Amino acid sequence: DEPEYAEAACRAADFILGNMRRPDGRPWHRYRDGQAGVQANLDDYAFLVWGLIELYEANFDTRHLKVALELNSAMVRHFWDEDGGGLYLTPDDGETLLLRKKEIYDSAIPSGNSVAMLNLLRLGHMTAASDLEEKAGAIGRAFSRSVKQSPSAYTQLMVALDLRIGPCYEVVIGGKAQAEDTKAMVKALRIPFLPNKVVLLNPDERESPEIANLAEFTKNQPSIDGRATAYVCMNYNCKLPTTGIDKMLELLNVT
């Protein structure tokens, strides 16, 4: 609940998106002395998408979610192994190598595949895109033999697997973005530890909220009588909407 951190994250994202993207929208790997260059690898895509998802849930600026979806799509298009599943470290149009590696080991820095699996699941639940969830499942299957031998070496993948197994909650808050009741409802969602959830804001103040272009189902989840309203769904099965914070938390099994 510290706006300063979200603002700093937003400035960081704006810098990267404004200075480190190619004409086709794909990211560069490095920036120095006013110059960006070097083709981005899997980790660059996966971690940037991860940050943009977190940033959307912090400030509900749909442009961050939109770019996350675009970069995620480019990542799958250029890094996916059609034969064995999973994602290569380098893109299909990158430097010609003797061997294109695929990393899955989660050391001090998680692997791009593990982060990508979590991203695919979160974006899938946020936009009701089953194909993204299926891609995430394919990453898990591609590396399952290695993971079974030593699960503790793949801790970030375990986080994604936990979300994959579920249950996962999809929460849509309908209401005026700057209204106190909307802010209170969002704040209440952030207090308990609920990692297996995604949160979307459907703002009242726009006749055609941009979020509906990314997550069409939110069109049917407005505020009720002008009050902040929570729609709590579990794996896309939605409960009756509520304007009460306590009831919202009850639906999320928070005691």
Side-chain angles (χ1 to χ4, degrees), residues 37 40 53 64 125 132:
I53 295 171
H64 295 132
H125 280 278
L132 297 183

Side-chain angles (χ1 to χ4, degrees), residues 166-187:
C168 178
Y169 294 99
E170 302 92 23
V171 184
V172 178
I173 305 297
K176 291 181 172 60
Q178 299 304 317
E180 291 304 317
D181 57 349
T182 302
K183 291 180 179 179
M185 192 165 270
V186 171
K187 183 176 181 179

Side-chain angles (χ1 to χ4, degrees), residues 16-241:
I16 294 170
L17 299 178
N19 297 281
M20 297 181 65
R21 295 183 77 184
R22 301 171 7 166
D24 62 2
R26 292 166 65 188
W28 291 112
H29 176 71
R30 68 105 175 98
Y31 179 94
R32 182 181 180 185
D33 295 335
Q35 297 293 322
V38 181
Q39 203 161 27
N41 58 38
L42 172 61
D43 292 7
D44 297 320
Y45 282 79
F47 279 83
L48 180 54
V49 170
W50 188 6
L52 290 169
I53 295 171
E54 296 287 348
L55 189 50
Y56 169 74
E57 289 197 338
N59 63 15
F60 298 112
D61 187 335
T62 51
R63 65 193 176 97
H64 295 132
L65 181 57
K66 181 175 183 291
V67 175
L69 287 162
E70 291 171 353
L71 292 175
N72 187 77
S73 178
M75 178 193 71
V76 171
R77 187 163 59 252
H78 292 286
F79 291 82
W80 188 258
D81 178 3
E82 294 291 348
D83 296 324
L87 296 151
Y88 289 110
L89 183 63
T90 55
D92 56 1
D93 57 352
E95 180 183 357
T96 301
L97 303 172
L98 291 175
L99 178 67
R100 288 177 74 193
K101 296 196 303 180
K102 287 192 290 185
E103 300 283 355
I104 190 61
Y105 174 63
D106 293 322
S107 57
I109 298 177
S111 73
N113 270 288
S114 295
V115 174
M117 181 176 176
L118 183 60
N119 292 341
L120 285 161
L121 290 168
R122 294 176 72 186
L123 291 172
H125 280 278
M126 295 173 98
T127 62
S130 60
D131 59 318
L132 297 183
E133 294 183 65
E134 290 168 5
K135 264 302 193 256
I139 291 177
R141 290 191 296 273
F143 301 103
S144 60
R145 182 174 299 179
S146 298
V147 174
K148 285 179 181 178
Q149 293 175 356
S150 181
S152 62
Y154 310 95
T155 47
Q156 184 64 31
L157 190 75
M158 293 297 99
V159 172
L161 181 60
D162 185 61
L163 181 61
R164 173 71 171 169
I165 294 171
C168 178
Y169 294 99
E170 302 92 23
V171 184
V172 178
I173 305 297
K176 291 181 172 60
Q178 299 304 317
E180 291 304 317
D181 57 349
T182 302
K183 291 180 179 179
M185 192 165 270
V186 171
K187 183 176 181 179
L189 280 172
R190 293 172 174 165
I191 294 174
F193 181 63
L194 295 169
N196 286 3
K197 74 176 188 313
V198 295
V199 183
L200 299 165
L201 177 67
N202 186 16
D204 270 353
E205 49 267 46
R206 298 178 182 175
E207 291 185 4
S208 300
E210 295 172 5
I211 189 62
N213 295 326
L214 305 177
E216 188 174 359
F217 61 88
T218 59
K219 291 180 180 178
N220 302 315
Q221 296 173 322
S223 66
I224 296 176
D225 298 328
R227 300 168 63 189
T229 305
Y231 295 80
V232 177
C233 311
M234 181 189 294
N235 297 329
Y236 309 113
N237 294 312
C238 298
K239 305 293 184 181
L240 291 174

